[in-house]
Amino acid sequence: MKDSDIADILTDLALEWEQSGQIISTPQWQQQALETGAWSYHQHHALIKSLREAHYDPMLIRLVARISDLVELLALLAKRTQPGIGRSGAMSRGNGIGLGWVKTARGLLVHHIMVENDAVRQYRIIAPTEWNFHPQGALRCALTNWREWAPSQLRGWVDLQVLGLDPCVQYQVEIEHA
C-alpha cells in the first residue's frame, strides 16, 4: 500500500460504505486484499526490495520493515519534526461525511463518520486486522506459500506468521492433517 494510494483507497472505501450502508469486514481495493503495516509503508526501501527479490521469508521482511519504520520515526523525532506528518490525515466527503486515517504500527486504521443534524448517524472503523487477516490477505498468502516443515515445527512457524502481522486480538492456531 503506497502513500500515493491512500487517498484513492479511502475514497473507494467511503463510496462502498455510503452506497451499501454495510460495515466492511473484508476490505479490498481494486479487487485485491491489501497488506498494510510497515512492509507496505516501506516496500520501496532498497533493503525491503532486495529481501523480497531474494525470496526471504515474509516474517523476516516484516521484521526488517518494522525496524526501518522505527528508524524513520526516530529520525523525525531527532529533527524535532512532528512524527505524525504523512502518517495520518483526514478528508471531507461533504454533507457531514468525513474520513480519517492513521498509519499505526499494525497497519492502516480508517475511520468513517456521517453526521446529520449535529448528531453522529454512522461511525465505522476498518482496523489493520481486517486488512491483514482478510480471507485472501497477507496471512493466507504466507500460509499457502509455506515450505515443508516438520509437524513439530509447523505450529511455531504459523504462530510467527500470525505474530508478524500483529493481529491485536487473541487467536488460536489449529492444525489439521488431511
Side-chain angles (χ1 to χ4, degrees):
M1 182 180 303
K2 295 184 274 187
D3 286 351
S4 59
D5 293 332
I6 289 178
D8 293 336
I9 292 167
L10 294 178
T11 300
D12 290 349
L13 287 172
L15 284 171
E16 184 178 338
W17 266 330
E18 293 156 16
Q19 291 171 355
S20 72
Q22 301 295 315
I23 293 174
I24 302 172
S25 59
T26 53
Q28 293 186 25
W29 186 57
Q30 298 180 345
Q31 290 79 45
Q32 291 186 3
L34 301 176
E35 177 169 349
T36 185
W39 182 342
S40 66
Y41 307 155
H42 299 284
Q43 63 183 305
H44 300 293
H45 187 281
L47 179 57
I48 303 302
K49 285 173 70 172
S50 67
L51 291 172
R52 287 185 74 182
E53 289 166 2
H55 303 288
Y56 276 87
D57 189 298
M59 176 61 204
L60 174 68
I61 300 171
R62 286 184 188 99
L63 179 61
V64 170
R66 283 215 175 173
I67 293 168
S68 296
D69 202 43
L70 285 171
V71 168
E72 178 183 285
L73 287 171
L74 288 171
L76 289 171
L77 288 170
K79 292 179 186 175
R80 302 203 187 283
T81 304
Q82 286 184 306
I85 293 175
R87 298 185 68 87
S88 63
M91 59 196 269
S92 172
R93 301 267 309 136
N95 299 325
I97 302 171
L99 287 166
W101 59 270
V102 63
K103 289 180 179 178
T104 70
R106 289 185 173 103
L108 187 65
L109 175 64
V110 181
H111 296 265
H112 179 264
I113 189 167
M114 298 176 86
V115 177
E116 271 183 14
N117 301 321
D118 296 327
V120 174
R121 192 180 99 203
Q122 289 183 335
Y123 187 79
R124 299 178 178 135
I125 297 173
I126 296 181
T129 302
E130 277 82 47
W131 295 103
N132 293 329
F133 292 87
H134 184 288
Q136 282 77 46
L139 181 64
R140 181 173 191 256
C141 290
L143 296 181
T144 56
N145 292 320
W146 69 290
R147 296 181 295 263
E148 290 290 326
W149 287 92
S152 62
Q153 296 175 318
L154 182 58
R155 178 178 303 281
W157 180 82
V158 171
D159 274 333
L160 283 175
Q161 299 306 311
V162 171
L163 291 171
L165 290 166
D166 200 356
C168 83
V169 294
Q170 189 174 21
Y171 71 94
Q172 181 177 336
V173 174
E174 293 182 23
I175 298 175
E176 295 181 14
H177 298 281

